[in-house]
């Protein structure tokens, strides 16, 4: 059930975390890697989570699992560069935050005898690059697989087993449904954070540095999300446009309702609304997806 040689294409946060997690848990899996720039390859060599190659060919030779760890918008170009060097028994996977467009981009290029098992680990931080990874990133986090109907069960099981071995809870989902769910739980919240920090930036021109100096917990939490990788998020919105616009439409409607409640001084409406949202935070903690510690357990 185990893959023997994992090749990581793109050597940022997610790839380095996969490499470190594999090294921590196994000593018999070969891990190779490639990234397009020399700077990233050199940094990855220093971190030491895989054997880094300066070309696709060396990295992919005999690999039986290839994981595309590049931004969603780069998948199409990357798979074209990978294909000439794939072994006949290779399985291709990815970690992209959007699934439907990635499946289209990858499967339309892939030879019929090679299978693609798309994956999205719901784990990450606002940091990027090879030095930002850590071995425990995927522990007790969900990893969603969205294979199309043509992928044999035994190959899906092998990829499932791979992520379970990194500590993830694995679930299978239809790609379109994944994109809608993630637009609610991840994409729209990030866009709202980008907007709020943008508003504060405009405002700070009036208040000088007050917004920074007196930033309260709410704003600080937004800034963490808004510090996420710009290329990754540009690609997420361009590749999950319909779902993102659907959720933002609903968000705007709710915002107007709350705006009206404030104007009309409808305290009961606001109270009921905030009680409902508070319960959602509690259910996330009950599901083991976050800590109940004050201020997310931050020391200061
Ligand atoms: P990252 O740390 O920014 O690393 C990105 C990697 O992709 C780098 O090796 C970079 O290469 C390469 N890359 C960037 N643009 C490229 C292009 N046009 N062509 C080829 N390679 C390119 O990113 P990450 O956070 O690991 O994210 C990787 C994937 O995981 C993305 O698809 C993202 O949606 C998904 N993901 C991210 C998170 C998260 O929280 N960060 C969580 C789950 C899934 P160079 O440095 O050599 O340019």
């Amino acid at each position: 059930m185990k893959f023997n040689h994992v090749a990581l294409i793109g050597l940022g946060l997610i790839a380095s975390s996969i490499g470190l997690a594999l090294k921590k848990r196994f000593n018999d899996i070969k891990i190779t890697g490639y990234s397009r720039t020399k700077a990233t390859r050199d940094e990855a060599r220093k971190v030491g989570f895989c054997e880094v190659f300066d070309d696709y060919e060396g990295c992919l030779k005999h690999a039986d699992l290839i994981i595309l760890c590049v931004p969603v918008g780069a998948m199409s170009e990357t798979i074209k560069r990978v294909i000439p060097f794939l072994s006949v028994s290779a399985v291709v996977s990815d970690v992209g935050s959007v699934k439907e467009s990635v499946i289209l981009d990858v499967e339309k290029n892939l030879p019929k005898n090679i299978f693609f098992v798309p994956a999205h680990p719901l784990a990450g931080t606002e940091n990027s690059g090879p030095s930002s990874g850590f071995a425990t990133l995927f522990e007790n986090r969900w990893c969603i697989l969205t294979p199309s109907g043509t992928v044999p069960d035994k190959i899906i099981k092998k990829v499932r087993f791979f992520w379970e071995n990194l500590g993830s809870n694995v679930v299978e989902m239809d790609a379109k449904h994944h994109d809608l769910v993630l637009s609610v739980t991840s994409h729209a919240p990030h866009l709202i954070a980008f907007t709020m920090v943008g508003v504060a930036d405009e405002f700070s021109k009036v208040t000088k540095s007050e917004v920074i100096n007196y930033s309260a917990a709410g704003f600080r939490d937004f800034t963490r999300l808004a510090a996420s990788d710009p290329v990754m998020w540009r690609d997420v919105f361009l590749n999950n446009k319909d779902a993102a616009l659907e959720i933002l439409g609903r968000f705007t409607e709710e915002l107007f309702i709350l705006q009206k409640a404030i104007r009309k001084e409808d305290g009961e409406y606001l109270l009921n609304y905030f009680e409902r949202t508070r319960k959602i935070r509690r259910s996330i903690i009950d599901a083991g997806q976050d800590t109940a510690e004050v201020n997310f357990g931050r020391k200061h």
Side-chain angles (χ1 to χ4, degrees), residues 193-207:
F194 291 130
T195 315
M196 195 56 234
V197 176
V199 168
D201 184 43
E202 277 298 308
F203 189 67
S204 72
K205 288 174 189 147
V206 185
T207 63

Side-chain angles (χ1 to χ4, degrees), residues 81-196:
R81 291 175 187 274
V82 161
I83 284 170
F85 307 110
L86 287 177
S87 314
V88 281
S89 60
V91 172
V92 177
S93 188
D94 78 313
V95 291
S97 305
V98 177
K99 300 279 47 122
E100 216 181 6
S101 71
V102 170
I103 293 172
L104 274 177
D105 286 345
V106 173
E107 285 190 343
K108 75 170 178 241
N109 290 298
L110 216 54
K112 290 274 171 285
N113 60 320
I114 306 276
F115 291 105
F116 179 48
V117 184
H120 179 201
L122 303 192
T125 73
E126 65 277 26
N127 299 323
S128 338
S131 306
S132 57
F134 51 99
T136 54
L137 179 64
F138 309 110
E139 287 178 12
N140 201 29
R141 309 315 301 248
W142 288 103
C143 179
I144 303 178
L145 305 184
T146 62
S148 57
T150 54
V151 184
D153 270 358
K154 74 169 196 256
I155 291 185
I156 300 171
K157 270 189 193 147
K158 225 171 147 179
V159 176
R160 171 183 276 271
F161 189 61
F162 173 85
W163 282 102
E164 284 172 354
N165 272 326
L166 299 190
S168 294
N169 304 312
V170 180
V171 67
E172 276 173 52
M173 208 180 267
D174 168 70
K176 197 179 181 65
H177 188 64
H178 163 279
D179 290 355
L180 186 63
V181 170
L182 266 292
S183 69
V184 178
T185 60
S186 171
H187 308 168
H190 273 83
L191 198 74
I192 292 160
F194 291 130
T195 315
M196 195 56 234

Side-chain angles (χ1 to χ4, degrees), residues 250-262:
R250 291 182 192 213
F251 172 80
T252 316
E253 282 170 22
E254 291 285 300
L255 195 64
F256 281 140
I257 293 169
L258 285 175
Q259 200 176 337
K260 193 172 166 191
I262 295 168

